[in-house]
Amino acid sequence: MSDVDIEFRGCGGPETEDGGALYVEGRMDMSNGSVVFRNGSAMWGGCLFVGQRLFMAGGLLRFEHCVAGELGGGVYAQGDLVQSGGHLHFANCHAYRGKGGALHLAGTDLLQENGKITLSNCWAGNGGCICSNKLIAKTNSSAIADMEDFQGKVVLNGTLVAGGGSADYKGGVIFAASGELGGRMTLRNCKARVGGCLHFKDFVVQASGRLSVMDSHAESEGGCLLATHLRVTGAVSFAHCRAGAVYDGEGGAAKVHGLTLLPGGKMTFTNAAAVNAGALSADFIFQLGGSVHFANCSARHGGGAINALWLAQRHGNMTFSNCSAQYGGAVIAVSLDQLLGTGHLRNRGGPCSKLHPPLLPGGSPPSMAFHSCTAEQSGGAVRAEVIQQEGRMSFDNCHARSGGAVKASRNRPKKEGSNSVRWSSNNEHSCINKLRRNVKGTMVIKGKIDFSRCWADSGGAIRTHTSVNMSTGSASFRSCTANAFGGAIFSKNVYLSQDVSFSEVTALSGGLIFARGEVKMLGGRVMNCSPPQVMAEQRLEIANVSFTGTTQVRLGAPDISAERVQCQNGLRSFKSDKDQGCSRCDENGLQIDRGPVLDNRVNITECVPGPRGALRVESGYLKMKVGHMVDPRNVSRGFFCPNRYACIGGKASVDGSSPMCDAGYEGLGCVECSAAYGPSDSNSLVCVPCAESQMQRINQLARFFLQDLVLFCLSAGGVASSTGRQKVSAVLTNQFMSFAAVAGPVLLAVRQTESFKHAAYSLDEYVDGLSTLVQVGEGASTGGMSVNCILRYLGFSPTWQAEALLTLLTPACAMLALTAIRGLRIAIVVGVNCFLAKICLFFGRYLVCFRMEPEDLGGEVICEYVRHTSLSFASLMTIVVVVMVAGPISWVVLLNDERNTKAGFYLYLTAQYRDEVKFWEVTRLVRKILLAVICAVYPITLHPLTQILCISLILLAALVMEMRFLPYLSHSWNSSEQMLLVISMAMVCITSFYLANERHWSTSRSSQCVLLGVILALTIGPSYMQVTLILRQLLRERFGE
């Protein structure tokens, strides 16, 4: 038939037996054109009856509203239907009491090589659209009981689109013995009692095949598909399929006896639902490659996505998302095997060997992922009797009442309903029983498995009745929770290898691992998990496990064997008859040296008491007060710091330590200077920074040498020009030197305090400049200079002998030069006046001694002369006393010699005083020497109150003597001297109050700033005023008024 357009309308009737519109005795061929059948009816072949083969190479063959009383609502063919092209269309065709609402093939096969078949709203008893078989099927209540009675085959390599197909019993679209899909099949809105769309004995989806089924359902089983064997290499998609309406359904998308997924295959199940097996029901599932995805599948009873006897995965991946059921939120099975290699399955032997699919080389390792799967009872993601895992599994946000992610039980929950059909033979049941023998309720882990955010009442991640066994592989548990026991694992016996980790796992009643029998844990990491971490009712063997992120570790069992179990630092260990572990230290206890180790061969680790001078002590944290430090090797031993402000209150903790010493200080008690610093010339307990740049070094070298020479030259000039007249510049210079002897220690004291260090950088620079000015008047460094650094600038080793020689170099050279120019006596007077205090200060600082621990606790006396010199105390004391006495005695000897009354030096020392007190300048010299020695022996950083008290007493004595004797010839000079002494007294008293307030708990930054401002004003004002007056007076005396 070609190039002919024919239409049959309203042909046949209830009495017509074959072909209501057209009866073809032999073969029918169609190559092009169109033939349309409408409203035809007959008993067999409502519109068309073909006695032999129906061959279609092209054109359009269309059937609408065709009805058959028995078979083939549109077409009945006793031979095959072969389509190599064209379009075959059926709409609203049905067979009342038979099969094939659109097409019935009695000659066995439908072979579609190309072309298109369209089916719309067709229905029948079996095969709502297409039925292919040799014999008339018998009505039977079994889903597959009559499969052996026919051998019809459907091969589709073109396109088939069906919508609205329905069958009273089997196959809403196709009912055939076997099917093979190499083209594209799209089915929608199909329904039947079993096999909502497709019903096959064997069904193969080739690599080029694409099957898409949507919005279909079965009243009993196989919402979209029912088949004995399903083999997939292509793509299969089921969406919105369900089973169970009138009956208790099983397999919301598909029910098969055996499913084999090969490499390249892809199966997708979304929004499927049933009473049992929300998406897929099978006896055996073998995944040899490809991928399977389940999303939003649910079952009222067991297996939200899969309900199977044996699920075996060798390659490929399988994912489950948002699946739910009463048991096994995603999967319920007798045995779930995820296997690498070939040995494990074959070793099962016996009848199981017949079930094995062919082994294919290569392929990706097996992988399963479960996300947000839930079960009302047990197995939030998986429930099985035997689980063997060798590939990769991950579980996220799964939960159930028992076994938040996995439940390995001793038995399988009985299915709801009585209509489920099992196709397993006796041999297959024997294989299944072999799988269950002696290992029911067991989970074996040999691959990589991860659990996160899983929770349950017991067994937040895993709950097994027999054991969890991990000899190789790795496992991680993160943020899993149990309302009772076993935040991660609840089992009778637990055996874990070394690569296992637990993070933020909790159990309200205790135990991230809980075992009714024994636990053997031979390695792993436990982080941020609440106690008790591991509990066993019989025996616990644990080794090479670390616990971090928790302040308490508890292991509970009647018999505990622990070896190299590491707790985090900051805890102590404990042992008792039924538990071992680590816990926080008691109040004022500390343990940060190392984390305790739980080991039957090692003694328990105790906490040590907090050290003296601690500001805050916790189990793993120590904060020291300012002025105190600890030896990092023994944190229970506290030390006082000779320079209080060198110890900044460091901390030591399990997370590390902060420096105990301020920048520039190091060593025990912070008494050593670091490499870029040197000890101050006036106080060896103070470290000052050495210059970094060349310009800074030149500046410091100039200051070091010139500060001695400036005052020496001024004094020498005054002595040389003395003629018996009262030299105002000499008086002002001596008063400035006396005031500077007090101002120097005060500046050094305030610069060491925290309040000063928090002041602006510009203030520090300004005070540093003022210190230089005071150093000139004092004849010594107040702390900003270090002869140690000067030696290093010059390339010399900074030994104490070198420091002494460099300190004496300028005085010696200056005095020798002056001796050569003006004579020895003038050189002695000027040298003693300018340099004696500095020399006393240099040697006196080595007399400083201190303790860093209380005397009653055996604190050792440490002296600077032992640390820095090779001198003994007697020899050093002799040097200091000789220097102190030699100066005043030399002046007294010179003043008592009547031959010197007309000499310039004599007039320099006596001209400004009354004759009754002509030796008054000696008392001023003694005062200056005493102040220098006191500042050296009692440094402000070590003995602030002692130094201040001694200075106050000396100033008080000087003030009383000044007011009693009024030594100056001029009343104004007596007044200015008394005023400077009063200012010095006030400055010392306010400084004493400032230092005391600095250490008091009630101090405030604002009040300290006010006091600091007053002290600096009392220091700066008189100093600059005196310097100004000296310079003005020198100009007057040089050039005349």
Side-chain angles (χ1 to χ4, degrees):
M1 184 180 297
S2 61
D3 299 323
V4 177
D5 294 331
I6 303 174
E7 179 177 352
F8 298 90
R9 183 187 298 270
C11 303
E15 302 300 327
T16 305
E17 292 186 359
D18 303 322
L22 178 63
Y23 178 91
V24 180
E25 183 72 27
R27 168 175 173 155
M28 176 177 174
D29 295 337
M30 182 173 181
S31 58
N32 52 36
S34 64
V35 179
V36 179
F37 298 87
R38 290 189 175 93
N39 301 308
S41 64
M43 292 296 297
W44 291 35
C47 286
L48 173 64
F49 179 94
V50 179
Q52 296 181 14
R53 168 176 291 189
L54 172 60
F55 179 80
M56 187 173 184
L60 171 65
L61 192 57
R62 186 181 186 93
F63 299 87
E64 297 179 358
H65 300 283
C66 299
V67 179
E70 293 291 341
L71 303 174
V75 177
Y76 178 90
Q78 289 186 336
D80 301 332
L81 189 155
V82 179
Q83 183 184 23
S84 61
H87 185 186
L88 185 60
H89 176 78
F90 298 89
N92 299 298
C93 300
H94 58 272
Y96 282 112
R97 296 180 297 276
K99 301 178 181 180
L103 171 65
H104 182 86
L105 301 173
T108 70
D109 302 333
L110 187 159
L111 304 175
Q112 185 190 43
E113 299 172 358
N114 206 338
K116 182 177 182 180
I117 299 176
T118 304
L119 305 164
S120 175
N121 298 315
C122 299
W123 63 269
N126 289 314
C129 294
I130 298 174
C131 178
S132 175
N133 71 329
K134 284 186 177 181
L135 302 176
I136 299 174
K138 302 175 182 178
T139 303
N140 195 302
S141 60
S142 171
I144 200 74
D146 59 341
M147 277 293 190
E148 300 296 336
D149 295 338
F150 66 96
Q151 299 177 358
K153 183 177 182 181
V154 175
V155 178
L156 301 171
N157 291 315
T159 300
L160 187 148
V161 179
S166 63
D168 295 336
Y169 189 49
K170 304 173 185 178
V173 174
I174 299 176
F175 175 61
S178 63
E180 184 176 315
L181 178 62
R184 182 179 298 273
M185 181 188 298
T186 302
L187 311 176
R188 184 187 295 271
N189 296 316
C190 307
K191 63 179 180 179
R193 181 176 176 183
V194 293
C197 291
L198 304 174
H199 191 292
F200 294 104
K201 178 181 178 183
D202 297 301
F203 185 40
V204 177
V205 180
Q206 302 286 6
S208 59
R210 299 292 183 269
L211 171 63
S212 176
V213 185
M214 296 165 284
D215 302 310
S216 301
H217 75 275
E219 295 176 355
S220 180
E221 300 169 345
C224 295
L225 168 67
L226 188 140
T228 306
H229 300 289
L230 174 62
R231 185 183 179 93
V232 177
T233 311
V236 177
S237 172
F238 298 98
H240 299 280
C241 300
R242 59 187 175 88
V246 179
Y247 307 96
D248 293 315
E250 181 176 356
K255 177 177 179 179
V256 299
H257 172 53
L259 167 64
T260 302
L261 181 64
L262 297 170
K266 181 177 180 180
M267 300 187 73
T268 303
F269 300 81
T270 58
N271 298 292
V275 176
N276 290 293
L280 175 62
S281 175
D283 283 348
F284 303 96
I285 300 175
F286 299 112
Q287 184 180 10
L288 305 181
S291 63
V292 187
H293 306 279
F294 298 88
N296 303 310
C297 300
S298 62
R300 192 173 71 194
H301 189 247
I306 294 177
N307 192 326
L309 294 178
W310 187 8
L311 171 58
Q313 184 187 37
R314 283 188 181 276
H315 300 288
N317 65 82
M318 191 177 290
T319 62
F320 302 84
S321 177
N322 296 301
C323 298
S324 61
Q326 187 175 10
Y327 300 92
V331 176
I332 189 167
V334 172
S335 179
L336 190 157
D337 291 331
Q338 190 185 52
L339 304 171
L340 296 173
T342 61
H344 296 286
L345 281 174
R346 287 183 172 176
N347 287 341
R348 299 187 189 279
C352 291
S353 60
K354 298 181 179 180
L355 300 176
H356 295 164
L359 300 177
L360 302 177
S364 60
S367 171
M368 285 188 183
F370 302 84
H371 177 72
S372 298
C373 297
T374 62
E376 296 178 9
Q377 296 297 326
S378 61
V382 175
R383 173 168 172 153
E385 296 181 25
V386 180
I387 301 172
Q388 181 167 323
Q389 185 265 341
E390 296 182 6
R392 172 74 184 267
M393 279 189 181
S394 64
F395 301 84
D396 177 59
N397 195 33
C398 300
H399 61 88
R401 183 174 298 177
S402 175
V406 176
K407 173 70 176 288
S409 60
R410 292 181 178 177
N411 49 57
R412 195 166 185 236
K414 185 179 179 181
K415 289 187 176 183
E416 289 188 0
S418 57
N419 294 285
S420 298
V421 177
R422 280 292 162 209
W423 303 319
S424 304
S425 66
N426 292 333
N427 284 340
E428 292 167 347
H429 278 296
S430 176
C431 173
I432 295 169
N433 290 332
K434 182 177 179 64
L435 297 178
R436 302 164 69 179
R437 187 184 307 160
N438 300 324
V439 293
K440 291 197 301 183
T442 298
M443 182 174 185
V444 178
I445 300 172
K446 295 184 179 180
K448 180 176 177 59
I449 190 166
D450 299 311
F451 299 88
S452 64
R453 301 185 300 162
C454 299
W455 58 270
D457 288 344
S458 62
I462 299 174
R463 174 74 163 90
T464 70
H465 280 282
T466 304
S467 67
V468 175
N469 192 328
M470 187 179 82
S471 57
T472 59
S474 64
S476 68
F477 301 83
R478 298 183 299 274
S479 302
C480 297
T481 305
N483 295 329
F485 295 97
I489 301 174
F490 186 118
S491 180
K492 180 179 180 181
N493 299 305
V494 178
Y495 307 100
L496 300 177
S497 68
Q498 59 183 1
D499 195 6
V500 58
S501 66
F502 302 87
S503 176
E504 297 180 354
V505 178
T506 59
L508 299 184
S509 299
L512 60 93
I513 298 176
F514 184 87
R516 296 289 188 189
E518 66 173 354
V519 173
K520 188 174 183 180
M521 188 174 180
L522 301 182
R525 303 171 304 281
V526 181
M527 299 161 285
N528 303 309
C529 297
S530 58
Q533 283 80 3
V534 183
M535 300 177 67
E537 294 186 351
Q538 296 180 9
R539 187 174 189 275
L540 168 60
E541 181 180 349
I542 183 169
N544 302 313
V545 178
S546 65
F547 292 85
T548 58
T550 179
T551 58
Q552 186 174 8
V553 175
R554 183 176 165 227
L555 312 175
D559 180 13
I560 300 178
S561 173
E563 183 176 347
R564 297 184 299 277
V565 177
Q566 181 73 53
C567 297
Q568 73 175 20
N569 206 350
L571 304 179
R572 66 179 182 91
S573 60
F574 64 86
K575 288 183 181 180
S576 66
D577 293 339
K578 292 187 177 182
D579 60 1
Q580 292 186 24
C582 305
S583 64
R584 294 176 62 89
C585 298
D586 296 332
E587 186 177 0
N588 201 41
L590 183 67
Q591 206 296 103
I592 60 175
D593 290 339
R594 67 184 187 280
V597 176
L598 302 180
D599 197 313
N600 290 359
R601 304 165 298 179
V602 178
N603 294 329
I604 63 174
T605 301
E606 296 288 356
C607 296
V608 297
R612 291 178 303 276
L615 178 65
R616 177 182 171 192
V617 178
E618 295 180 1
S619 184
Y621 179 85
L622 170 66
K623 172 70 174 175
M624 298 300 294
K625 296 179 181 177
V626 174
H628 298 264
M629 72 167 300
V630 294
D631 185 351
R633 295 167 296 182
N634 184 3
V635 295
S636 65
R637 188 178 180 186
F639 296 91
F640 297 99
C641 297
N643 180 358
R644 179 176 184 270
Y645 299 105
C647 296
I648 56 178
K651 69 176 182 178
S653 70
V654 297
D655 299 323
S657 301
S658 66
M660 293 287 170
C661 302
D662 199 0
Y665 297 87
E666 61 186 21
L668 196 62
C670 301
V671 295
E672 303 289 344
C673 295
S674 57
Y677 287 71
S680 169
D681 290 347
S682 60
N683 185 349
S684 60
L685 299 177
V686 175
C687 297
V688 296
C690 297
E692 297 180 358
S693 66
Q694 189 65 28
M695 288 301 298
Q696 289 176 334
R697 292 175 182 175
I698 294 173
N699 179 46
Q700 287 194 13
L701 286 169
R703 286 174 58 187
F704 180 78
F705 291 107
L706 292 179
Q707 71 182 10
D708 293 335
L709 293 176
V710 169
L711 191 60
F712 182 83
C713 293
L714 290 174
S715 298
V719 173
S721 61
S722 294
T723 60
R725 296 177 55 196
Q726 297 177 352
K727 298 283 288 187
V728 177
S729 62
V731 175
L732 293 175
T733 301
N734 287 335
Q735 288 181 344
F736 174 58
M737 292 173 66
S738 298
F739 181 79
V742 179
V746 168
L747 287 176
L748 179 60
V750 299
R751 290 187 73 175
Q752 297 297 311
T753 61
E754 287 296 320
S755 297
F756 182 86
K757 291 180 179 180
H758 281 89
Y761 176 76
S762 58
L763 178 61
D764 184 59
E765 290 290 307
Y766 184 77
V767 173
D768 187 60
L770 178 61
S771 298
T772 303
L773 178 65
V774 172
Q775 289 169 26
V776 175
E778 189 185 4
S781 173
T782 61
M785 189 71 69
S786 172
V787 67
N788 185 288
C789 294
I790 299 298
L791 285 170
R792 280 185 268 173
Y793 303 158
L794 299 175
F796 295 102
S797 176
T799 63
W800 79 272
Q801 296 93 337
E803 291 179 3
L805 290 175
L806 186 60
T807 301
L808 297 174
L809 178 63
T810 301
C813 293
M815 291 180 68
L816 288 174
L818 187 58
T819 299
I821 298 172
R822 303 293 296 182
L824 178 61
R825 291 176 297 177
I826 292 179
I828 290 175
V829 171
V830 177
V832 167
N833 190 39
C834 294
F835 301 129
L836 189 63
K838 178 176 182 177
I839 296 172
C840 290
L841 185 63
F842 177 81
F843 287 101
R845 64 181 183 156
Y846 292 122
L847 292 173
V848 175
C849 294
F850 53 85
R851 284 187 176 92
M852 289 189 286
E853 294 180 289
E855 182 179 6
D856 57 351
L857 296 179
E860 179 184 357
V861 176
I862 302 172
C863 295
E864 291 293 273
Y865 69 86
V866 177
R867 295 177 60 236
H868 297 290
T869 75
S870 58
L871 299 173
S872 64
F873 176 78
S875 58
L876 182 61
M877 192 67 185
T878 301
I879 294 173
V880 174
V881 171
V882 168
V883 173
M884 289 178 61
V885 175
I889 289 178
S890 65
W891 278 16
V892 170
V893 171
L894 291 174
L895 292 175
N896 280 328
D897 189 349
E898 295 296 334
R899 295 174 298 177
N900 297 329
T901 56
K902 300 299 182 179
F905 69 85
Y906 186 92
L907 297 176
Y908 176 79
L909 295 176
T910 62
Q912 61 266 35
Y913 301 112
R914 293 185 294 111
D915 291 338
E916 296 83 356
V917 287
K918 64 179 181 178
F919 289 179
W920 191 260
E921 194 66 28
V922 177
T923 65
R924 295 170 59 87
L925 177 62
V926 171
R927 186 207 315 174
K928 188 162 58 173
I929 293 172
L930 289 176
L931 288 174
V933 172
I934 287 170
C935 291
V937 177
Y938 299 109
I940 193 71
T941 54
L942 180 60
H943 303 291
L945 297 181
T946 303
Q947 186 191 94
I948 293 295
L949 177 62
C950 293
I951 293 175
S952 300
L953 292 176
I954 293 173
L955 293 177
L956 180 60
L959 180 59
V960 170
M961 292 176 64
E962 177 70 29
M963 297 178 68
R964 170 68 180 81
F965 296 103
L966 299 175
Y968 289 102
L969 293 173
S970 171
H971 176 70
S972 61
W973 290 350
N974 285 319
S975 298
S976 62
E977 180 74 9
Q978 293 172 16
M979 180 62 69
L980 287 174
L981 288 171
V982 170
I983 292 175
S984 299
M985 286 285 295
M987 184 168 55
V988 170
C989 292
I990 295 174
T991 302
S992 177
F993 179 71
Y994 171 84
L995 294 176
N997 198 40
E998 184 76 7
R999 302 187 182 188
H1000 199 269
W1001 63 268
S1002 64
T1003 185
S1004 64
R1005 185 67 54 80
S1006 58
S1007 64
Q1008 288 298 90
C1009 287
V1010 172
L1011 292 176
L1012 182 61
V1014 173
I1015 294 170
L1016 294 179
L1018 293 176
T1019 307
I1020 295 169
S1023 297
Y1024 279 105
M1025 184 177 294
Q1026 287 177 292
V1027 171
T1028 303
L1029 292 175
I1030 291 171
L1031 294 176
R1032 188 183 70 172
Q1033 191 60 37
L1034 286 173
L1035 292 174
R1036 285 181 177 180
E1037 293 173 358
R1038 178 71 177 84
F1039 300 105
E1041 295 185 5

